[in-house]
């Protein structure tokens, strides 16, 4: 099978363990150096342009009820916490990389150390991904990876899906991976450019010294993804901009931060529309399920913000914009427009979700028949 072939390449196939179910996998054939624990806290060294309030916020668990054929293979190999199509695996191996941003970039001349470093990344990602980050790696291009990050609660990015394409260059892990953000032509954060550039010290795309920069023996792709979610997509992204940091906790700075959050939420809504209309390959199920589950929450949040609730705050906590706020009037008008567009696209997504679910059930049934045939063939050969 596809997954077994790749795992054998990385020496990760394990004997079935009837006592332990889930997505974790056994250690490598030979024990490798342990990865550092991902721990993003206040005053984190991972991104010098963070606000200093970079604690990663817990997000509600999103468990899309659909899976690919390869996801089914993974579940049969390792077991799962739910049956059949009820799980969109957080980590999975897929084949088609044709729409990946770095698809045309050849991995070049690589080494065993390069392959082993990627092998360790796969293992760590499969074992330790937060519940709101999803990753796909590619059977025929182990230098490529795609991740989906759910916007954290309490930020202007809440309930959004943000996609990143990753490439491990031939010099990896001596140098950091290359990361491209699927921006849809929008700049909704100082660290995420319309061009797709991700500005982060851990990627050596922003200034930093010592352990603020990528380290070949201590830095990981998991750290990069968690840093993007917790430090870049934070509650006050206005202060990510170096020139704005000194105005934090001042009246003018906080006023500008509120206005920036309004703009960021509008752009986040536009990013939702972009994802709904152009879901990245291998994440169609996640997009359909995520927005099916969060439809009511997203539309309720839009309504609350239109009524004056501060972006990112709970509609029940009473936090409102000051009266006669000129920026709020412009924000309200723009948000009313995009709320209606979202309402229409989310309704269309409901139909798409039902179709994706039906197709996924059919795929699982085909995979189950194929697996049974393989087992019969093996038994006959034995």
């Amino acid at each position: 099978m596809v997954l077994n072939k790749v795992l054998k390449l990385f020496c990760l196939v394990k004997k079935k363990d009837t006592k332990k179910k889930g997505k974790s996998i056994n250690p490598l054939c030979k024990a490798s150096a342990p990865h550092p624990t991902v721990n993003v806290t206040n005053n984190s060294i991972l991104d010098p342009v963070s606000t200093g309030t970079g604690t990663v916020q817990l997000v509600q668990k999103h468990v899309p009820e659909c899976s690919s054929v390869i996801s089914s293979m993974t579940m049969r190999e390792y077991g799962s916490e739910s049956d059949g199509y009820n799980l969109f695996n957080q980590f999975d191996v897929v084949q088609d990389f044709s729409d990946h941003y770095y698809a045309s970039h050849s991995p070049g001349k690589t080494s065993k150390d390069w392959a082993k470093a990627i092998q360790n990344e796969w293992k760590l990602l499969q074992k330790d991904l937060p519940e709101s980050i999803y990753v796909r790696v590619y059977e025929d291009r182990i230098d490529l990876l795609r991740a989906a990050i759910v916007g954290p609660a309490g930020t202007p990015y809440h309930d959004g899906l943000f996609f990143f394409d990753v490439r491990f260059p031939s010099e990896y892990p001596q140098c950091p991976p290359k990361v491209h953000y699927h921006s849809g032509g929008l700049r909704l954060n100082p660290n995420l450019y319309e061009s797709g550039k991700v500005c982060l010290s851990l990627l050596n795309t922003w200034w930093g010294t010592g352990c603020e920069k990528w380290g070949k023996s201590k830095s990981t792709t998991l750290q990069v993804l968690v840093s993007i979610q917790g430090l870049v997509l934070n509650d006050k992204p206005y202060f990510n901009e170096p020139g704005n940091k000194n105005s934090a906790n001042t009246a003018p700075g906080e006023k500008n931060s509120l206005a920036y959050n309004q703009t960021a939420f509008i752009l986040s809504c536009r990013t939702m529309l972009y994802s709904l209309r152009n879901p990245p390959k291998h994440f169609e199920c996640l997009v359909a399920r995520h927005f099916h589950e969060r439809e009511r929450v997203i539309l309720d949040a839009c309504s609350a913000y239109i009524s004056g609730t501060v972006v990112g705050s709970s509609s029940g906590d009473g936090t409102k914009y000051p009266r006669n706020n000129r920026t709020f009037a412009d924000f309200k008008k723009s948000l009313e427009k995009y709320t209606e567009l979202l309402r229409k696209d989310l309704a269309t997504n409901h139909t798409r979700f039902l179709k994706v679910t039906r197709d996924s059930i059919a795929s699982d049934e085909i995979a189950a028949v194929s697996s049974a045939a393989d087992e019969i063939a093996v038994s006959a050969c034995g």
Side-chain angles (χ1 to χ4, degrees):
M1 293 185 191
V2 170
L3 185 60
N4 274 338
K5 184 169 71 173
V6 175
L7 294 176
K8 285 177 181 177
L9 172 65
F10 279 172
C11 302
L12 294 176
V13 173
K14 70 172 187 175
K15 294 181 180 179
K16 291 184 178 180
D17 184 349
T18 57
K19 294 182 180 180
K20 186 176 181 180
K21 298 288 186 181
K23 63 179 181 177
S24 61
I25 57 180
N26 273 350
L28 307 176
C29 299
K30 301 277 187 178
S32 62
H35 287 269
T37 302
V38 174
N39 183 22
V40 182
T41 57
N42 287 344
N43 302 316
S44 171
I45 61 176
L46 295 180
D47 185 6
V49 301
S50 70
T51 63
T53 59
T55 301
V56 176
Q57 302 179 52
L58 296 178
V59 247
Q60 295 173 332
K61 186 173 182 180
H62 301 265
V63 185
E65 297 184 352
C66 51
S67 65
S68 65
V69 174
I70 296 178
S71 299
S72 303
M73 297 176 184
T74 304
M75 287 186 282
R76 287 198 298 276
E77 185 72 25
Y78 299 118
S80 67
E81 297 175 355
S82 58
D83 296 328
Y85 64 95
N86 291 324
L87 180 68
F88 183 91
N89 285 349
Q90 284 186 269
F91 179 92
D92 211 344
V93 183
V94 294
Q95 291 180 297
D96 186 358
F97 55 88
S98 59
D99 73 331
H100 196 282
Y101 180 77
Y102 296 108
S104 62
H105 291 69
S106 170
K109 186 177 180 180
T110 59
S111 64
K112 290 183 179 179
D113 289 341
W114 175 83
K116 184 175 181 180
I118 296 176
Q119 161 188 341
N120 289 340
E121 292 281 14
W122 283 29
K123 175 178 176 287
L124 183 65
L125 289 166
Q126 181 159 11
K127 182 169 68 74
D128 290 337
L129 274 174
E131 293 178 336
S132 51
I133 299 179
Y134 301 83
V135 167
R136 293 295 178 266
V137 295
Y138 300 87
E139 177 194 8
D140 297 323
R141 285 290 301 272
I142 66 170
D143 60 311
L144 304 181
L145 175 154
R146 174 168 288 166
I149 297 177
V150 180
T155 75
Y157 309 107
H158 67 82
D159 297 302
L161 279 179
F162 304 93
F163 293 92
F164 299 84
D165 282 358
V166 179
R167 179 175 76 90
F168 300 106
S170 57
E171 300 84 7
Y172 174 85
Q174 303 293 332
C175 68
K178 307 295 183 182
V179 180
H180 174 84
Y181 167 56
H182 287 239
S183 71
L186 306 172
R187 189 174 183 185
L188 45 63
N189 186 284
N191 300 67
L192 303 176
Y193 287 64
E194 299 97 323
S195 65
K197 177 183 177 180
V198 178
C199 195
L200 193 69
S201 58
L202 191 58
L203 295 174
N204 293 349
T205 53
W206 185 248
W207 57 266
T209 59
C211 54
E212 297 171 354
K213 307 281 279 184
W214 178 268
K216 66 176 182 179
S217 61
K218 60 182 176 59
S219 301
T220 67
T221 302
L222 179 59
Q223 283 180 306
V224 171
L225 297 177
V226 172
S227 295
I228 291 172
Q229 184 180 55
L231 300 179
V232 173
L233 301 174
N234 62 39
D235 59 337
K236 295 183 178 182
Y238 174 77
F239 299 114
N240 285 15
E241 192 69 56
N244 300 334
K245 288 180 66 176
N246 292 335
S247 66
N249 300 317
T250 68
E254 296 302 322
K255 180 180 178 180
N256 291 336
S257 177
L258 287 175
Y260 189 94
N261 278 8
Q262 292 173 344
T263 300
F265 184 72
I266 292 292
L267 295 177
S268 184
C269 288
R270 293 177 63 183
T271 301
M272 292 181 196
L273 291 167
Y274 180 78
S275 297
L276 282 162
R277 297 169 184 178
N278 306 279
K281 197 176 293 294
H282 307 299
F283 287 87
E284 297 91 345
C285 287
L286 176 63
V287 169
R289 177 59 186 177
H290 171 81
F291 287 111
H292 173 75
E293 283 190 337
R294 306 304 295 170
E295 174 180 357
R296 190 70 265 154
V297 173
I298 292 168
L299 293 177
D300 285 350
C302 289
S303 296
Y305 299 156
I306 288 171
S307 69
T309 299
V310 170
V311 169
S313 64
S314 168
S315 60
D317 69 5
T319 307
K320 298 282 187 178
Y321 289 105
R323 292 184 177 182
N324 302 320
N325 185 313
R326 179 177 296 180
T327 61
F328 173 72
D330 294 338
F331 166 69
K332 178 180 178 181
K333 182 178 180 180
S334 184
L335 184 55
E336 286 174 339
K337 170 186 173 182
Y338 286 108
T339 298
E340 286 308 306
L341 291 174
L342 271 173
R343 198 183 307 278
K344 292 176 182 178
D345 279 37
L346 288 169
T348 301
N349 180 68
H350 177 72
T351 303
R352 183 186 302 118
F353 167 71
L354 295 177
K355 180 180 184 302
V356 167
T357 302
R358 287 195 298 268
D359 291 347
S360 183
I361 294 173
S363 294
D364 285 350
E365 290 173 348
I366 294 171
V369 171
S370 177
S371 176
D374 289 345
E375 291 176 4
I376 292 172
V378 171
S379 298
C381 291

